[in-house]
Each structure stands twice: as C-alpha cells, then as structure tokens.
Amino acid sequence: MYSDPSNNWPKPYYAVIFTSKRTPADEGYGIMADKMEALASTQEGFLGIESARSEIGITVSYWNSLEAIKSWKNNADHMMAQRMGKKVWYEWYHLRISKVEREYFHYMDVPIDEINLQKG
Amino acid sequence: MYSDPSNNWPKPYYAVIFTSKRTPADEGYGIMADKMEALASTQEGFLGIESARSEIGITVSYWNSLEAIKSWKNNADHMMAQRMGKKVWYEWYHLRISKVEREYFHYMDVPIDEINLQKG
C-alpha cells in the first residue's frame, strides 16, 4: 500500500518509521495488519501510509501532529495488536517518530513501456 | 539490509525516507543499488540503512546531520546514480528528510522456535 504520490500535505508533518523482523509465526498476522492499516487511515490527523516487506518490513505512516500519533498509539484495538506484535509476530521492531523537514518528489514523464514502444 | 538493531546513536539524528515505484527496466539497477548502499555506508556522518521492496520500495538511511545528507546527495557517483534513477529506474520516487525525535525498540526475549520447542 502507498500514499497518494500527488499529495500536498501541510508542513510540518510527522513520519512514524516502523521497521521489523517477523517471526515465522502467522497467528492471524496478515488479517490484523490489513485491519490496522484500514483503522489507522480513519484516525484524526492521519495523512498516509507506505509499506514494503522483503527480508525486513518497513511501514511509514504520516500524521499531522504528535498528538495524532499518540492517540493512535493508545487506540484500544491498536493496543491489542501491539501486544500480539510483541508476544508473537515480531522478533524485533524499531519505531521512530520523526518530523519531516524537507521533501522531494519525482515522477517520470513518460512510462518506460511507452518509451520502448516509441523506439520500436 | 538493515542497520544494527542494538544501535545507540546520538540524538538528534536524521532519517532520509526514500519510497519508490520501479519501472520494469533493469539496466544495471541491482548492481548500482548495492554499490550505492556500500558507498553510502562509507560516508562521513552515516549511521545505518534499512530497506525493503515488495509492491513499492522503501529505503531509510540514517545520518548524524543535515550536512552529511547534503554531502551524500552531492557525491559524484551518487549523482550519476540519481540521474539513472530519474531517467530509467523509477516510475516515481519520494524523498523525505526527517529529524528523529523519539524512538522505541523491542526485542523478543525468546525466539519463537524455542518457545515452540519448549511447548513440545
């Protein structure tokens, strides 16, 4: 999942960087992860979320204030998921709260497939 | 690749959040990505790097100052890679420079395999 690349969020905003190493245990992880992503997106102050997983997982969620991040941390359903995360799903995780100070966006003008077609 | 989970970096430090969508074009991407990760880690002020790729890619690199980030941005070999990234490898990318204000680490006390063995 990724946030709208054409976003134009008010500055400053905050990024919560969650990096993790999963255990081999499933125990409903996928269902809960989807549920938490959906629930986060309904919270006051939520701006967007981006995630990827290969050897490790990285999820970055974006918020308009530290208060919004704190409220989400203390959300009852989210707290239950956090407990499962600590006990079952994550060998380790790091969570970093950071303030976004600068940003740069790049979009390729022409998709690469089109370039190839034009060449052919 | 991921940074040492037992790190204890001086505060404040900075996170460069690079999220991207790849084009189907290879053109030496893997070799260059590995080379850039190795080169970044030799730069003054570099602290660590974490990356994952599935539908999108997310790489977070950590630095001890904004000056160190700027120097890395202007590194000659890195600038060449940036040009290739814009022209060939990335359909889009977002780069966010953020200041880490708080962090939390969690490590599971006992690996899940051991727990299962103890149960059995």
Side-chain angles (χ1 to χ4, degrees), chain B residues 35-81:
Chain B
K35 203 172 155 182
M36 284 305 115
E37 206 161 290
L39 184 61
S41 70
T42 66
Q43 301 301 298
E44 178 76 29
F46 173 87
L47 297 172
I49 192 164
E50 299 177 303
S51 61
R53 178 170 296 281
S54 40
E55 193 187 349
I56 62 164
I58 306 181
T59 296
V60 188
S61 59
Y62 303 96
W63 304 83
N64 71 8
S65 70
L66 290 172
E67 292 68 35
I69 294 167
K70 196 174 177 184
S71 295
W72 170 234
K73 188 187 174 190
N74 295 330
N75 172 286
D77 289 341
H78 187 206
M79 286 182 80
M80 202 176 68

Side-chain angles (χ1 to χ4, degrees), chain A residues 1-5 33-42 46-53 58-62, chain B residues 19-21 53-58 92 94:
Chain A
M1 190 178 177
Y2 50 96
S3 55
D4 176 10
D34 290 349
K35 203 173 156 183
M36 283 306 115
E37 205 161 291
L39 184 62
S41 70
T42 66
F46 173 88
L47 296 171
I49 191 164
E50 298 177 303
S51 60
R53 178 170 296 279
I58 305 181
T59 295
V60 188
S61 59
Y62 302 97
Chain B
T19 58
S20 63
K21 174 79 175 168
R53 178 170 296 281
S54 40
E55 193 187 349
I56 62 164
I58 306 181
W92 57 258
H94 301 171

